[in-house]
Amino acid sequence: MKILMVCLGNICRSPLAHGILEREIQMQNLDWEVDSAGTSGWHEGELPDQRSIEVAKENGLDITNQRSRAFTKKDFKDFDLIVVMDSSNFSNVKSLADNEAEEAKIKLLLNYSYPGENRAVPDPYYHGGFPKVYSMIEDAVLNLIKHHV
Ligand code: 4NP
């Protein structure tokens, strides 16, 4: 299984989802791969936001190997699941899909914790709340693994 975590900037939320899933893949010995991307290319090549680096570090996770990149149409070919953080990521990604099979790969992360509720991981870039965002993402990633393993 190849999973792509997607948010707007690929510097705050999706790098946390990427790092948390990467750790679980290793710890649970899963034959999975994970990467992350942003629907905007605004932070192309940048490290994750310092606040995401910090909250990850507080949870024993190093995400400083990651660099931001933009989501592209090719990602629909390369990944089995495209996991987005909010409804705006969902519509931005969906607008690049070529067919229903590609659209069906797009999932809202928090639906793994709250099925059918279409909840968003709030964007912490302007208003903070990184510890809360970390725990929401961690819960949902663990539920995603249970769902697909
Ligand atoms: P992310 O957060 O989508 O979780 O990476 C954001 C990062 C950057 C911006 C917005 C949200 N920005 O406006 O540059």
Side-chain angles (χ1 to χ4, degrees), residues 10 14-15 18-19 22 36 46-48 63-68:
N10 189 212
S14 58
H18 177 170
E22 192 164 58
S36 59
E46 291 179 20
L47 276 163
I63 58 168
T64 59
N65 59 322
Q66 296 185 33
R67 296 295 180 274
S68 177

Side-chain angles (χ1 to χ4, degrees), residues 7-17 20 43 46-64 66 122-135 137:
C7 62
L8 174 61
N10 189 212
I11 55 169
C12 295
R13 293 165 294 175
S14 58
L16 292 174
I20 291 166
H43 296 273
E46 291 179 20
L47 276 163
D49 188 283
Q50 196 55 41
R51 296 163 295 175
S52 280
I53 291 176
E54 273 304 311
V55 78
K57 194 174 169 195
E58 285 160 19
N59 286 276
L61 190 61
D62 181 3
I63 58 168
T64 59
Q66 296 185 33
D123 186 345
Y125 185 70
Y126 290 109
H127 303 293
F130 282 78
K132 171 79 180 157
V133 161
Y134 183 93
S135 66
I137 291 174

